[in-house]
Amino acid sequence: MKEEQLSLPNLLHLVKEHEQQIRQIKSDELWLQLDEGPCYVSIWPIIGGGRQLGYLAVFSDRKYWDDVLRLTVNNALNVYAIEFIKQKLVMDTREQVKESFMNQLFSEKIEDPEKVVQYTTFINWNVYDSHRVAYLSVKLDMEVERESDLIGVEEKKSRLWDIMKMALSNQDQGVILTRKGDEFILISRVTNEQTNAKAYWQSMYQQVQKIAKAEMPSCHVYLGVGGRTERMEDYYFAYKQAVQTANLIRLRYPEAGFAIFEEFESYSLLHQLTDHKISTIFVQKKLAPLLRYTEGSGADLFQTLRIYLSNNGSMRETSEALYIHRSTLQYRLDKIREILQIDIEQAEQRFSLLMAYKLYDLLDLSPPQIC
């Protein structure tokens, strides 16, 4: 065959053009014609251990294919599968060692700080530089998740994580990517942000979202970014802040997709003061009656009060946000006063209710937990 027909750019262009078809092949090969003429590319899936590990591309004229050539390709596929599995075992072992050391940073008490420092130095990463810890949450639509098989979803998430690691590592050598159980974690030096932390993490989120949507179109991606670290002990708190920020984004501001912990100043203060048991009791006292009433009546008084407080008690803005008539809103507010036995126009009562809603979000509570 002519050398110019075997160029890698031509192959990559063809693969990109037929990406969906290639992803769907499970056992048989896929034949694609290269420009005009007799030259074809046959794409063969490399399968080992019941998993698809890669693809073999063969340039040739299709008319020359016979049983001997097919047998040769099958042998090649077996060799590639064995080598890919061996390489993946090595990579997985390295990743597990890395995760075991990195996860110590996210523990409240670091068991062996000296070993953590030794390992991070070995991978050319200075744990004492100022960093931010980000928590990445990938969620499927509820309907899709109910219909999907759990193992298949986890395999897709693992593949998604592998692709993200490659893409983000190539873009920014200063980013560390690791996992804590099923959680995806990113660590980036504060110096990477230059003078605009929001712009840096927004760019990171957009790239992550683009990759995720390409792999799992029905998924939603949320990125919570914790505060800065100055000491080794700070990584645990930065990690907790990142998780809570991602939860807040998912529950309250899903359209934003990402946020930095400092953007929620009131949540930052509550995080420092929070005693989970006491905070839950406080939320129960303030909001449980509304949740119990809402469950039985069909009128969402819980959400009505939240939006009313967020709009600083404006009847017009609240009714517009809820798409209800002003008289309907007035009826609901009267009902809320009756149920809670408080005057929601008083500044102290409003402050307490707002704090209860913020703790409800911060602690990621659900109605059954406080009713």
Side-chain angles (χ1 to χ4, degrees):
M1 298 189 54
K2 293 182 181 179
E3 189 175 341
E4 61 269 17
Q5 291 179 306
L6 303 178
S7 68
L8 185 59
N10 285 350
L11 173 62
L12 294 177
H13 175 74
L14 198 68
V15 166
K16 193 68 181 171
E17 190 178 347
H18 297 275
E19 185 174 354
Q20 291 304 317
Q21 283 178 273
I22 293 170
R23 284 180 184 277
Q24 290 169 7
I25 60 176
K26 300 299 180 187
S27 56
D28 297 332
E29 74 272 20
L30 174 68
W31 287 88
L32 302 172
Q33 190 164 12
L34 192 62
D35 299 327
E36 297 296 326
C39 184
Y40 283 84
V41 179
S42 56
I43 310 288
W44 303 70
I46 299 171
I47 298 171
R51 297 182 62 187
Q52 195 156 303
L53 306 172
Y55 300 91
L56 172 67
V58 182
F59 290 80
S60 71
D61 188 332
R62 193 170 183 178
K63 68 183 179 182
Y64 295 129
W65 279 74
D66 56 19
D67 291 342
V68 175
L69 193 48
R70 285 184 176 275
L71 184 61
T72 304
V73 168
N74 283 332
N75 287 335
L77 290 170
N78 290 333
V79 172
Y80 277 123
I82 293 168
E83 292 302 318
F84 282 11
I85 289 171
K86 283 164 59 179
Q87 184 64 20
K88 186 147 190 350
L89 285 172
V90 171
M91 291 171 66
D92 286 350
T93 302
R94 286 178 182 166
E95 197 65 25
Q96 286 168 9
V97 171
K98 172 184 164 186
E99 287 172 9
S100 68
F101 277 100
M102 298 299 291
N103 285 347
Q104 288 189 49
L105 289 174
F106 311 130
S107 301
E108 193 168 3
K109 181 175 174 54
I110 299 174
E111 294 178 4
D112 196 336
E114 195 172 316
K115 278 194 174 180
V116 173
V117 172
Q118 288 175 356
Y119 179 76
T120 54
T121 303
F122 173 71
I123 63 172
N124 198 28
W125 184 64
N126 187 355
V127 70
Y128 292 110
D129 282 345
S130 185
H131 290 84
R132 283 191 195 270
V133 178
Y135 172 81
L136 180 66
S137 173
V138 179
K139 301 287 184 185
L140 287 176
D141 284 333
M142 293 297 291
E143 296 80 7
V144 175
E145 192 165 11
R146 279 196 296 267
E147 295 171 4
S148 302
D149 108 75
L150 187 59
I151 295 175
V153 170
E154 288 308 311
E155 281 188 356
K156 284 183 179 179
K157 283 188 178 180
S158 294
R159 173 181 166 78
L160 174 61
W161 182 237
D162 289 340
I163 294 171
M164 282 183 184
K165 281 194 297 186
M166 186 180 297
L168 296 178
S169 298
N170 289 339
Q171 177 191 347
D172 190 340
Q173 299 295 325
V175 175
I176 301 289
L177 298 103
T178 186
R179 291 185 73 161
K180 186 176 179 355
D182 294 332
E183 300 173 342
F184 302 144
I185 299 171
L186 295 78
I187 307 173
S188 178
R189 285 196 300 265
V190 169
T191 52
N192 291 338
E193 299 171 1
Q194 297 179 359
T195 58
N196 194 330
K198 179 115 180 173
Y200 172 79
W201 286 104
Q202 184 171 29
S203 173
M204 180 80 75
Y205 171 73
Q206 287 170 346
Q207 186 172 1
V208 164
Q209 187 185 43
K210 183 178 178 182
I211 296 169
K213 286 292 186 183
E215 288 297 312
M216 302 169 68
S218 60
C219 76
H220 300 280
V221 180
Y222 308 100
L223 185 68
V225 184
R228 299 183 176 199
T229 65
E230 303 297 338
R231 306 167 303 154
M232 191 184 296
E233 295 78 11
D234 294 341
Y235 285 88
Y236 168 74
F237 296 103
Y239 159 71
K240 297 292 284 184
Q241 290 169 350
V243 172
Q244 289 175 339
T245 304
N247 287 336
L248 287 170
I249 287 296
R250 176 172 58 84
L251 294 168
R252 294 283 288 115
Y253 310 102
E255 66 285 349
F258 90 102
I260 299 173
F261 189 68
E262 288 91 336
E263 292 180 282
F264 300 100
E265 290 183 351
S266 57
Y267 288 111
S268 303
L269 178 62
L270 289 172
H271 172 71
Q272 304 301 324
L273 302 176
T274 294
D275 178 304
H276 194 286
K277 187 174 181 180
I278 294 172
S279 299
T280 302
I281 292 171
F282 177 79
V283 175
Q284 283 176 330
K285 181 180 176 184
K286 294 294 180 184
L287 301 178
L290 278 186
L291 284 167
R292 284 195 290 266
Y293 179 85
T294 295
E295 188 177 346
S297 72
D300 194 349
L301 301 184
F302 179 81
Q303 188 67 7
T304 298
L305 179 58
R306 185 201 284 270
I307 293 174
Y308 179 71
L309 294 171
S310 299
N311 286 298
N312 200 27
S314 167
M315 295 286 289
R316 180 181 62 80
E317 292 178 14
T318 305
S319 57
E320 287 176 358
L322 291 169
Y323 300 102
I324 59 176
H325 194 272
R326 188 185 179 98
S327 60
T328 304
L329 174 60
Q330 186 62 61
Y331 171 79
R332 289 189 187 181
L333 293 175
D334 290 341
K335 198 68 183 175
I336 288 169
R337 292 186 187 94
E338 178 188 329
I339 294 168
L340 298 182
Q341 293 292 296
I342 60 172
D343 182 0
I344 59 176
E345 306 307 323
Q346 287 184 3
E348 282 297 320
Q349 293 291 356
R350 281 196 189 180
F351 177 78
S352 295
L353 289 167
L354 273 171
M355 185 181 291
Y357 276 110
K358 290 184 185 299
L359 284 168
Y360 181 84
D361 292 339
L362 187 66
L363 300 174
D364 195 16
L365 297 172
S366 61
Q369 289 174 287
I370 65 172
C371 288

